[in-house]
Amino acid sequence: MAQFFKNMTNNLGIVGEFLRFLWARKLWWLIPMVVVLLVFGFLLIFASASGIAPFIYTLF
């Protein structure tokens, strides 16, 4: 199973390297916060560049 996660992080590039950094420094508690920030960032990008903006704006 550990080999699977190593291969998965190798395929992810910079994101995998960042996850390995957090895991090696025992900062895994930061992973949920980083994921939430990325999700909000993607929502804001899609809100300004697509036709679904009125539906995303209702979430905020």
Side-chain angles (χ1 to χ4, degrees):
M1 189 62 124
Q3 185 65 30
F4 170 74
F5 286 118
K6 270 188 186 175
N7 289 338
M8 187 177 72
T9 56
N10 286 338
N11 291 337
L12 292 176
I14 293 174
V15 175
E17 188 173 331
F18 181 67
L19 289 175
R20 260 187 272 136
F21 169 77
L22 290 177
W23 199 261
R25 303 283 189 271
K26 304 216 184 300
L27 297 173
W28 52 77
W29 54 272
L30 279 175
I31 294 173
M33 286 190 276
V34 170
V35 169
V36 168
L37 286 174
L38 288 174
V39 166
F40 278 132
F42 285 126
L43 274 175
L44 290 174
I45 289 170
F46 285 126
S48 65
S50 69
I52 60 170
F55 303 110
I56 293 176
Y57 285 133
T58 59
L59 295 175
F60 298 106

Tab-separated table of all heavy atoms in Angstrom:
chain	number	residue	atom	x	y	z
A	1	MET	N	0.815	-1.185	0.000
A	1	MET	CA	0.000	0.000	0.000
A	1	MET	C	0.867	1.261	0.000
A	1	MET	O	0.510	2.246	-0.629
A	1	MET	CB	-0.926	-0.020	1.232
A	1	MET	CG	-1.951	1.059	1.197
A	1	MET	SD	-3.038	0.887	-0.196
A	1	MET	CE	-4.586	0.840	0.587
A	2	ALA	N	1.970	1.228	0.727
A	2	ALA	CA	2.862	2.391	0.774
A	2	ALA	C	3.444	2.675	-0.604
A	2	ALA	O	3.610	3.839	-0.982
A	2	ALA	CB	3.971	2.167	1.788
A	3	GLN	N	3.732	1.620	-1.354
A	3	GLN	CA	4.275	1.798	-2.707
A	3	GLN	C	3.243	2.481	-3.609
A	3	GLN	O	3.598	3.307	-4.443
A	3	GLN	CB	4.687	0.438	-3.287
A	3	GLN	CG	5.373	0.533	-4.617
A	3	GLN	CD	6.713	1.264	-4.527
A	3	GLN	OE1	7.377	1.229	-3.510
A	3	GLN	NE2	7.087	1.922	-5.595
A	4	PHE	N	1.975	2.148	-3.424
A	4	PHE	CA	0.903	2.773	-4.195
A	4	PHE	C	0.879	4.279	-3.970
A	4	PHE	O	0.785	5.069	-4.905
A	4	PHE	CB	-0.444	2.155	-3.822
A	4	PHE	CG	-1.618	2.898	-4.394
A	4	PHE	CD1	-1.929	2.799	-5.741
A	4	PHE	CD2	-2.402	3.713	-3.586
A	4	PHE	CE1	-3.001	3.489	-6.268
A	4	PHE	CE2	-3.466	4.410	-4.100
A	4	PHE	CZ	-3.765	4.289	-5.447
A	5	PHE	N	0.972	4.699	-2.700
A	5	PHE	CA	0.947	6.126	-2.398
A	5	PHE	C	2.191	6.828	-2.907
A	5	PHE	O	2.133	7.976	-3.330
A	5	PHE	CB	0.775	6.351	-0.893
A	5	PHE	CG	-0.621	6.061	-0.422
A	5	PHE	CD1	-0.851	5.055	0.494
A	5	PHE	CD2	-1.695	6.782	-0.902
A	5	PHE	CE1	-2.131	4.774	0.922
A	5	PHE	CE2	-2.981	6.522	-0.480
A	5	PHE	CZ	-3.204	5.508	0.435
A	6	LYS	N	3.337	6.154	-2.876
A	6	LYS	CA	4.554	6.751	-3.438
A	6	LYS	C	4.404	6.977	-4.928
A	6	LYS	O	4.760	8.035	-5.447
A	6	LYS	CB	5.764	5.853	-3.172
A	6	LYS	CG	6.469	6.140	-1.909
A	6	LYS	CD	7.748	5.346	-1.842
A	6	LYS	CE	8.367	5.556	-0.478
A	6	LYS	NZ	9.542	4.740	-0.261
A	7	ASN	N	3.882	5.974	-5.640
A	7	ASN	CA	3.678	6.121	-7.081
A	7	ASN	C	2.654	7.206	-7.384
A	7	ASN	O	2.798	7.958	-8.344
A	7	ASN	CB	3.230	4.796	-7.694
A	7	ASN	CG	4.350	3.781	-7.724
A	7	ASN	OD1	5.528	4.126	-7.676
A	7	ASN	ND2	3.985	2.519	-7.771
A	8	MET	N	1.617	7.289	-6.569
A	8	MET	CA	0.589	8.299	-6.791
A	8	MET	C	1.169	9.707	-6.611
A	8	MET	O	0.907	10.591	-7.420
A	8	MET	CB	-0.571	8.090	-5.826
A	8	MET	CG	-1.754	8.982	-6.085
A	8	MET	SD	-3.136	8.659	-5.013
A	8	MET	CE	-2.530	9.294	-3.466
A	9	THR	N	1.973	9.919	-5.572
A	9	THR	CA	2.547	11.239	-5.363
A	9	THR	C	3.588	11.566	-6.419
A	9	THR	O	3.762	12.730	-6.768
A	9	THR	CB	3.164	11.364	-3.965
A	9	THR	OG1	4.124	10.338	-3.782
A	9	THR	CG2	2.107	11.293	-2.886
A	10	ASN	N	4.277	10.558	-6.959
A	10	ASN	CA	5.223	10.811	-8.040
A	10	ASN	C	4.506	11.292	-9.291
A	10	ASN	O	5.025	12.135	-10.024
A	10	ASN	CB	6.033	9.565	-8.361
A	10	ASN	CG	7.082	9.287	-7.307
A	10	ASN	OD1	7.486	10.177	-6.576
A	10	ASN	ND2	7.504	8.044	-7.240
A	11	ASN	N	3.330	10.782	-9.542
A	11	ASN	CA	2.567	11.172	-10.726
A	11	ASN	C	1.912	12.542	-10.576
A	11	ASN	O	1.528	13.148	-11.565
A	11	ASN	CB	1.497	10.130	-11.037
A	11	ASN	CG	2.095	8.839	-11.522
A	11	ASN	OD1	3.209	8.808	-12.033
A	11	ASN	ND2	1.373	7.751	-11.335
A	12	LEU	N	1.780	13.038	-9.368
A	12	LEU	CA	1.110	14.317	-9.150
A	12	LEU	C	2.017	15.519	-9.321
A	12	LEU	O	1.549	16.648	-9.323
A	12	LEU	CB	0.482	14.340	-7.753
A	12	LEU	CG	-0.695	13.403	-7.538
A	12	LEU	CD1	-1.154	13.470	-6.095
A	12	LEU	CD2	-1.835	13.724	-8.472
A	13	GLY	N	3.308	15.324	-9.417
A	13	GLY	CA	4.232	16.426	-9.649
A	13	GLY	C	4.401	17.306	-8.432
A	13	GLY	O	4.731	16.839	-7.343
A	14	ILE	N	4.174	18.601	-8.614
A	14	ILE	CA	4.385	19.572	-7.545
A	14	ILE	C	3.431	19.322	-6.373
A	14	ILE	O	3.832	19.436	-5.211
A	14	ILE	CB	4.211	21.008	-8.080
A	14	ILE	CG1	5.340	21.312	-9.050
A	14	ILE	CG2	4.189	22.014	-6.947
A	14	ILE	CD1	5.210	22.632	-9.742
A	15	VAL	N	2.202	18.953	-6.673
A	15	VAL	CA	1.243	18.684	-5.602
A	15	VAL	C	1.702	17.488	-4.777
A	15	VAL	O	1.644	17.503	-3.541
A	15	VAL	CB	-0.172	18.444	-6.184
A	15	VAL	CG1	-1.146	18.036	-5.105
A	15	VAL	CG2	-0.660	19.665	-6.915
A	16	GLY	N	2.179	16.456	-5.445
A	16	GLY	CA	2.693	15.289	-4.734
A	16	GLY	C	3.906	15.624	-3.890
A	16	GLY	O	4.055	15.125	-2.769
A	17	GLU	N	4.772	16.460	-4.435
A	17	GLU	CA	5.953	16.879	-3.679
A	17	GLU	C	5.550	17.684	-2.448
A	17	GLU	O	6.116	17.502	-1.363
A	17	GLU	CB	6.860	17.714	-4.569
A	17	GLU	CG	8.190	18.029	-3.958
A	17	GLU	CD	9.117	18.716	-4.945
A	17	GLU	OE1	8.982	18.477	-6.163
A	17	GLU	OE2	9.957	19.494	-4.484
A	18	PHE	N	4.555	18.540	-2.589
A	18	PHE	CA	4.067	19.319	-1.456
A	18	PHE	C	3.447	18.410	-0.395
A	18	PHE	O	3.677	18.592	0.807
A	18	PHE	CB	3.053	20.359	-1.938
A	18	PHE	CG	2.517	21.227	-0.847
A	18	PHE	CD1	3.341	22.122	-0.194
A	18	PHE	CD2	1.191	21.143	-0.467
A	18	PHE	CE1	2.851	22.929	0.831
A	18	PHE	CE2	0.690	21.939	0.543
A	18	PHE	CZ	1.528	22.829	1.188
A	19	LEU	N	2.660	17.409	-0.830
A	19	LEU	CA	2.070	16.468	0.119
A	19	LEU	C	3.139	15.660	0.840
A	19	LEU	O	3.030	15.415	2.040
A	19	LEU	CB	1.092	15.543	-0.599
A	19	LEU	CG	-0.207	16.183	-1.075
A	19	LEU	CD1	-1.019	15.191	-1.879
A	19	LEU	CD2	-1.000	16.719	0.094
A	20	ARG	N	4.170	15.245	0.109
A	20	ARG	CA	5.281	14.519	0.752
A	20	ARG	C	5.996	15.406	1.764
A	20	ARG	O	6.389	14.942	2.838
A	20	ARG	CB	6.273	14.020	-0.298
A	20	ARG	CG	6.064	12.566	-0.621
A	20	ARG	CD	7.144	12.051	-1.530
A	20	ARG	NE	6.670	12.335	-2.892
A	20	ARG	CZ	7.403	12.831	-3.861
A	20	ARG	NH1	8.669	13.081	-3.684
A	20	ARG	NH2	6.889	13.067	-5.035
A	21	PHE	N	6.173	16.678	1.431
A	21	PHE	CA	6.801	17.626	2.353
A	21	PHE	C	5.987	17.736	3.641
A	21	PHE	O	6.533	17.680	4.745
A	21	PHE	CB	6.939	18.991	1.691
A	21	PHE	CG	7.316	20.094	2.629
A	21	PHE	CD1	8.622	20.222	3.063
A	21	PHE	CD2	6.366	20.995	3.077
A	21	PHE	CE1	8.976	21.242	3.934
A	21	PHE	CE2	6.710	22.009	3.947
A	21	PHE	CZ	8.019	22.133	4.382
A	22	LEU	N	4.664	17.910	3.498
A	22	LEU	CA	3.815	18.026	4.678
A	22	LEU	C	3.853	16.750	5.513
A	22	LEU	O	3.890	16.799	6.741
A	22	LEU	CB	2.378	18.347	4.274
A	22	LEU	CG	2.122	19.734	3.701
A	22	LEU	CD1	0.667	19.863	3.283
A	22	LEU	CD2	2.491	20.812	4.685
A	23	TRP	N	3.856	15.603	4.850
A	23	TRP	CA	3.844	14.335	5.564
A	23	TRP	C	5.182	14.100	6.266
A	23	TRP	O	5.210	13.636	7.411
A	23	TRP	CB	3.540	13.204	4.596
A	23	TRP	CG	3.081	11.976	5.310
A	23	TRP	CD1	3.836	10.889	5.626
A	23	TRP	CD2	1.777	11.712	5.806
A	23	TRP	NE1	3.069	9.985	6.283
A	23	TRP	CE2	1.801	10.452	6.411
A	23	TRP	CE3	0.590	12.430	5.796
A	23	TRP	CZ2	0.688	9.882	7.005
A	23	TRP	CZ3	-0.515	11.845	6.381
A	23	TRP	CH2	-0.455	10.604	6.973
A	24	ALA	N	6.283	14.423	5.640
A	24	ALA	CA	7.603	14.209	6.233
A	24	ALA	C	7.828	15.128	7.427
A	24	ALA	O	8.499	14.741	8.390
A	24	ALA	CB	8.692	14.437	5.191
A	25	ARG	N	7.283	16.333	7.397
A	25	ARG	CA	7.446	17.283	8.499
A	25	ARG	C	6.366	17.120	9.562
A	25	ARG	O	6.256	17.932	10.463
A	25	ARG	CB	7.397	18.721	7.979
A	25	ARG	CG	8.392	19.065	6.918
A	25	ARG	CD	9.768	19.285	7.525
A	25	ARG	NE	10.701	19.828	6.568
A	25	ARG	CZ	11.470	19.102	5.763
A	25	ARG	NH1	11.406	17.814	5.784
A	25	ARG	NH2	12.299	19.687	4.931
A	26	LYS	N	5.539	16.076	9.399
A	26	LYS	CA	4.431	15.795	10.315
A	26	LYS	C	3.453	16.973	10.402
A	26	LYS	O	2.964	17.334	11.466
A	26	LYS	CB	4.944	15.416	11.687
A	26	LYS	CG	5.887	14.244	11.667
A	26	LYS	CD	5.706	13.381	12.858
A	26	LYS	CE	6.713	12.242	12.909
A	26	LYS	NZ	6.694	11.341	11.834
A	27	LEU	N	3.187	17.558	9.254
A	27	LEU	CA	2.225	18.660	9.158
A	27	LEU	C	0.962	18.219	8.428
A	27	LEU	O	0.351	18.987	7.702
A	27	LEU	CB	2.857	19.846	8.423
A	27	LEU	CG	4.064	20.484	9.097
A	27	LEU	CD1	4.687	21.519	8.190
A	27	LEU	CD2	3.662	21.108	10.402
A	28	TRP	N	0.577	16.957	8.603
A	28	TRP	CA	-0.583	16.444	7.877
A	28	TRP	C	-1.866	17.142	8.296
A	28	TRP	O	-2.854	17.093	7.576
A	28	TRP	CB	-0.727	14.933	8.031
A	28	TRP	CG	-0.718	14.455	9.443
A	28	TRP	CD1	-1.734	14.520	10.332
A	28	TRP	CD2	0.375	13.872	10.128
A	28	TRP	NE1	-1.347	14.009	11.526
A	28	TRP	CE2	-0.055	13.592	11.430
A	28	TRP	CE3	1.666	13.544	9.770
A	28	TRP	CZ2	0.779	13.011	12.368
A	28	TRP	CZ3	2.473	12.956	10.715
A	28	TRP	CH2	2.039	12.696	11.985
A	29	TRP	N	-1.876	17.810	9.431
A	29	TRP	CA	-3.064	18.537	9.858
A	29	TRP	C	-3.303	19.759	8.978
A	29	TRP	O	-4.398	20.327	8.985
A	29	TRP	CB	-2.943	18.946	11.322
A	29	TRP	CG	-1.700	19.708	11.633
A	29	TRP	CD1	-0.497	19.194	11.985
A	29	TRP	CD2	-1.532	21.119	11.575
A	29	TRP	NE1	0.413	20.208	12.165
A	29	TRP	CE2	-0.190	21.392	11.930
A	29	TRP	CE3	-2.380	22.180	11.282
A	29	TRP	CZ2	0.305	22.695	11.974
A	29	TRP	CZ3	-1.880	23.464	11.330
A	29	TRP	CH2	-0.550	23.708	11.682
A	30	LEU	N	-2.300	20.189	8.197
A	30	LEU	CA	-2.475	21.315	7.279
A	30	LEU	C	-3.171	20.916	5.983
A	30	LEU	O	-3.694	21.776	5.276
A	30	LEU	CB	-1.116	21.914	6.928
A	30	LEU	CG	-0.499	22.862	7.925
A	30	LEU	CD1	0.892	23.259	7.463
A	30	LEU	CD2	-1.348	24.077	8.104
A	31	ILE	N	-3.170	19.629	5.665
A	31	ILE	CA	-3.721	19.174	4.385
A	31	ILE	C	-5.192	19.568	4.220
A	31	ILE	O	-5.561	20.101	3.163
A	31	ILE	CB	-3.481	17.666	4.197
A	31	ILE	CG1	-1.981	17.402	4.067
A	31	ILE	CG2	-4.229	17.135	2.989
A	31	ILE	CD1	-1.588	15.948	4.050
A	32	PRO	N	-6.076	19.373	5.212
A	32	PRO	CA	-7.477	19.806	5.009
A	32	PRO	C	-7.616	21.305	4.772
A	32	PRO	O	-8.434	21.729	3.949
A	32	PRO	CB	-8.175	19.402	6.311
A	32	PRO	CG	-7.333	18.340	6.878
A	32	PRO	CD	-5.927	18.640	6.465
A	33	MET	N	-6.799	22.109	5.455
A	33	MET	CA	-6.880	23.558	5.250
A	33	MET	C	-6.435	23.939	3.839
A	33	MET	O	-7.046	24.797	3.198
A	33	MET	CB	-6.025	24.285	6.282
A	33	MET	CG	-6.628	24.280	7.653
A	33	MET	SD	-5.789	25.357	8.787
A	33	MET	CE	-4.458	24.287	9.316
A	34	VAL	N	-5.397	23.308	3.349
A	34	VAL	CA	-4.916	23.594	1.998
A	34	VAL	C	-5.960	23.171	0.972
A	34	VAL	O	-6.221	23.905	0.002
A	34	VAL	CB	-3.564	22.881	1.746
A	34	VAL	CG1	-3.164	22.964	0.289
A	34	VAL	CG2	-2.491	23.461	2.642
A	35	VAL	N	-6.596	22.041	1.184
A	35	VAL	CA	-7.629	21.565	0.256
A	35	VAL	C	-8.809	22.535	0.227
A	35	VAL	O	-9.317	22.880	-0.854
A	35	VAL	CB	-8.085	20.142	0.643
A	35	VAL	CG1	-9.330	19.739	-0.115
A	35	VAL	CG2	-6.968	19.150	0.399
A	36	VAL	N	-9.244	23.001	1.379
A	36	VAL	CA	-10.369	23.951	1.431
A	36	VAL	C	-10.002	25.248	0.718
A	36	VAL	O	-10.811	25.801	-0.041
A	36	VAL	CB	-10.785	24.206	2.893
A	36	VAL	CG1	-11.727	25.394	3.005
A	36	VAL	CG2	-11.436	22.969	3.466
A	37	LEU	N	-8.799	25.747	0.937
A	37	LEU	CA	-8.377	26.968	0.248
A	37	LEU	C	-8.335	26.769	-1.267
A	37	LEU	O	-8.732	27.661	-2.028
A	37	LEU	CB	-7.010	27.412	0.757
A	37	LEU	CG	-7.001	28.029	2.156
A	37	LEU	CD1	-5.569	28.280	2.598
A	37	LEU	CD2	-7.800	29.310	2.171
A	38	LEU	N	-7.862	25.610	-1.719
A	38	LEU	CA	-7.841	25.331	-3.158
A	38	LEU	C	-9.250	25.246	-3.735
A	38	LEU	O	-9.507	25.759	-4.830
A	38	LEU	CB	-7.073	24.043	-3.434
A	38	LEU	CG	-5.573	24.119	-3.254
A	38	LEU	CD1	-4.952	22.735	-3.412
A	38	LEU	CD2	-4.958	25.090	-4.234
A	39	VAL	N	-10.163	24.630	-3.005
A	39	VAL	CA	-11.549	24.521	-3.484
A	39	VAL	C	-12.174	25.909	-3.608
A	39	VAL	O	-12.826	26.217	-4.616
A	39	VAL	CB	-12.381	23.616	-2.552
A	39	VAL	CG1	-13.861	23.747	-2.823
A	39	VAL	CG2	-11.941	22.174	-2.698
A	40	PHE	N	-11.972	26.769	-2.607
A	40	PHE	CA	-12.503	28.126	-2.695
A	40	PHE	C	-11.868	28.898	-3.854
A	40	PHE	O	-12.540	29.657	-4.547
A	40	PHE	CB	-12.292	28.891	-1.393
A	40	PHE	CG	-13.325	28.589	-0.353
A	40	PHE	CD1	-12.949	28.289	0.938
A	40	PHE	CD2	-14.670	28.618	-0.660
A	40	PHE	CE1	-13.896	28.015	1.902
A	40	PHE	CE2	-15.632	28.347	0.291
A	40	PHE	CZ	-15.244	28.044	1.580
A	41	GLY	N	-10.592	28.692	-4.068
A	41	GLY	CA	-9.920	29.338	-5.189
A	41	GLY	C	-10.501	28.917	-6.527
A	41	GLY	O	-10.760	29.751	-7.399
A	42	PHE	N	-10.716	27.600	-6.686
A	42	PHE	CA	-11.311	27.117	-7.931
A	42	PHE	C	-12.734	27.619	-8.099
A	42	PHE	O	-13.159	27.951	-9.207
A	42	PHE	CB	-11.286	25.590	-7.999
A	42	PHE	CG	-9.924	25.029	-8.307
A	42	PHE	CD1	-9.352	24.093	-7.480
A	42	PHE	CD2	-9.214	25.450	-9.416
A	42	PHE	CE1	-8.102	23.577	-7.750
A	42	PHE	CE2	-7.966	24.946	-9.707
A	42	PHE	CZ	-7.405	24.001	-8.866
A	43	LEU	N	-13.483	27.692	-7.010
A	43	LEU	CA	-14.842	28.232	-7.102
A	43	LEU	C	-14.831	29.685	-7.562
A	43	LEU	O	-15.656	30.089	-8.388
A	43	LEU	CB	-15.547	28.127	-5.750
A	43	LEU	CG	-16.237	26.816	-5.443
A	43	LEU	CD1	-16.780	26.830	-4.022
A	43	LEU	CD2	-17.344	26.531	-6.420
A	44	LEU	N	-13.917	30.465	-7.028
A	44	LEU	CA	-13.839	31.869	-7.449
A	44	LEU	C	-13.410	32.003	-8.899
A	44	LEU	O	-13.913	32.873	-9.622
A	44	LEU	CB	-12.881	32.629	-6.535
A	44	LEU	CG	-13.378	32.848	-5.111
A	44	LEU	CD1	-12.279	33.487	-4.273
A	44	LEU	CD2	-14.623	33.697	-5.113
A	45	ILE	N	-12.511	31.167	-9.347
A	45	ILE	CA	-12.083	31.211	-10.747
A	45	ILE	C	-13.235	30.838	-11.662
A	45	ILE	O	-13.509	31.521	-12.656
A	45	ILE	CB	-10.874	30.282	-10.971
A	45	ILE	CG1	-9.644	30.873	-10.307
A	45	ILE	CG2	-10.631	30.049	-12.457
A	45	ILE	CD1	-8.454	29.937	-10.269
A	46	PHE	N	-13.958	29.761	-11.323
A	46	PHE	CA	-15.076	29.348	-12.165
A	46	PHE	C	-16.229	30.338	-12.084
A	46	PHE	O	-16.997	30.487	-13.023
A	46	PHE	CB	-15.561	27.948	-11.792
A	46	PHE	CG	-14.640	26.864	-12.263
A	46	PHE	CD1	-14.147	25.934	-11.370
A	46	PHE	CD2	-14.259	26.772	-13.583
A	46	PHE	CE1	-13.293	24.936	-11.794
A	46	PHE	CE2	-13.403	25.789	-14.020
A	46	PHE	CZ	-12.923	24.861	-13.123
A	47	ALA	N	-16.372	31.023	-10.960
A	47	ALA	CA	-17.463	31.986	-10.817
A	47	ALA	C	-17.266	33.178	-11.738
A	47	ALA	O	-18.235	33.743	-12.232
A	47	ALA	CB	-17.554	32.456	-9.371
A	48	SER	N	-16.027	33.538	-11.972
A	48	SER	CA	-15.800	34.708	-12.809
A	48	SER	C	-15.699	34.358	-14.292
A	48	SER	O	-15.779	35.251	-15.122
A	48	SER	CB	-14.520	35.412	-12.363
A	48	SER	OG	-13.409	34.578	-12.585
A	49	ALA	N	-15.539	33.082	-14.608
A	49	ALA	CA	-15.269	32.728	-15.995
A	49	ALA	C	-16.305	31.786	-16.610
A	49	ALA	O	-16.045	31.216	-17.657
A	49	ALA	CB	-13.895	32.078	-16.092
A	50	SER	N	-17.460	31.636	-15.988
A	50	SER	CA	-18.408	30.690	-16.568
A	50	SER	C	-19.844	31.173	-16.400
A	50	SER	O	-20.117	32.164	-15.733
A	50	SER	CB	-18.245	29.316	-15.900
A	50	SER	OG	-18.675	29.380	-14.571
A	51	GLY	N	-20.750	30.413	-16.977
A	51	GLY	CA	-22.166	30.744	-16.898
A	51	GLY	C	-22.806	30.284	-15.616
A	51	GLY	O	-23.986	30.589	-15.368
A	52	ILE	N	-22.083	29.570	-14.796
A	52	ILE	CA	-22.661	29.106	-13.542
A	52	ILE	C	-22.390	30.073	-12.390
A	52	ILE	O	-22.637	29.761	-11.236
A	52	ILE	CB	-22.162	27.694	-13.169
A	52	ILE	CG1	-20.668	27.667	-12.999
A	52	ILE	CG2	-22.626	26.682	-14.179
A	52	ILE	CD1	-20.152	26.366	-12.407
A	53	ALA	N	-21.898	31.257	-12.706
A	53	ALA	CA	-21.552	32.238	-11.698
A	53	ALA	C	-22.723	32.585	-10.769
A	53	ALA	O	-22.524	32.653	-9.559
A	53	ALA	CB	-21.015	33.501	-12.356
A	54	PRO	N	-23.934	32.796	-11.270
A	54	PRO	CA	-25.031	33.122	-10.338
A	54	PRO	C	-25.286	32.042	-9.315
A	54	PRO	O	-25.672	32.309	-8.184
A	54	PRO	CB	-26.244	33.295	-11.247
A	54	PRO	CG	-25.690	33.591	-12.584
A	54	PRO	CD	-24.374	32.872	-12.656
A	55	PHE	N	-25.053	30.783	-9.683
A	55	PHE	CA	-25.298	29.681	-8.751
A	55	PHE	C	-24.178	29.575	-7.713
A	55	PHE	O	-24.420	29.209	-6.570
A	55	PHE	CB	-25.431	28.366	-9.514
A	55	PHE	CG	-26.517	28.417	-10.535
A	55	PHE	CD1	-26.227	28.429	-11.881
A	55	PHE	CD2	-27.851	28.477	-10.152
A	55	PHE	CE1	-27.221	28.488	-12.830
A	55	PHE	CE2	-28.866	28.531	-11.077
A	55	PHE	CZ	-28.555	28.541	-12.419
A	56	ILE	N	-22.959	29.895	-8.107
A	56	ILE	CA	-21.843	29.840	-7.162
A	56	ILE	C	-21.917	31.015	-6.210
A	56	ILE	O	-21.627	30.870	-5.018
A	56	ILE	CB	-20.500	29.814	-7.919
A	56	ILE	CG1	-20.386	28.500	-8.695
A	56	ILE	CG2	-19.331	29.964	-6.958
A	56	ILE	CD1	-19.153	28.400	-9.553
A	57	TYR	N	-22.327	32.181	-6.681
A	57	TYR	CA	-22.403	33.348	-5.814
A	57	TYR	C	-23.421	33.165	-4.689
A	57	TYR	O	-23.306	33.757	-3.641
A	57	TYR	CB	-22.733	34.606	-6.604
A	57	TYR	CG	-21.575	35.126	-7.396
A	57	TYR	CD1	-21.711	35.495	-8.719
A	57	TYR	CD2	-20.318	35.241	-6.820
A	57	TYR	CE1	-20.639	35.975	-9.458
A	57	TYR	CE2	-19.242	35.720	-7.537
A	57	TYR	CZ	-19.416	36.073	-8.847
A	57	TYR	OH	-18.341	36.542	-9.558
A	58	THR	N	-24.423	32.327	-4.903
A	58	THR	CA	-25.398	32.095	-3.842
A	58	THR	C	-24.786	31.315	-2.684
A	58	THR	O	-25.321	31.343	-1.574
A	58	THR	CB	-26.628	31.331	-4.375
A	58	THR	OG1	-26.202	30.090	-4.922
A	58	THR	CG2	-27.335	32.143	-5.425
A	59	LEU	N	-23.678	30.617	-2.907
A	59	LEU	CA	-23.016	29.887	-1.828
A	59	LEU	C	-22.341	30.839	-0.850
A	59	LEU	O	-22.169	30.506	0.314
A	59	LEU	CB	-21.981	28.921	-2.401
A	59	LEU	CG	-22.503	27.779	-3.254
A	59	LEU	CD1	-21.338	26.995	-3.836
A	59	LEU	CD2	-23.401	26.881	-2.436
A	60	PHE	N	-21.947	31.996	-1.325
A	60	PHE	CA	-21.248	32.953	-0.470
A	60	PHE	C	-22.211	33.975	0.041
A	60	PHE	O	-22.052	34.713	0.873
A	60	PHE	CB	-20.104	33.637	-1.222
A	60	PHE	CG	-19.058	32.654	-1.672
A	60	PHE	CD1	-18.939	32.284	-2.993
A	60	PHE	CD2	-18.181	32.106	-0.746
A	60	PHE	CE1	-17.976	31.400	-3.394
A	60	PHE	CE2	-17.204	31.214	-1.129
A	60	PHE	CZ	-17.109	30.863	-2.461
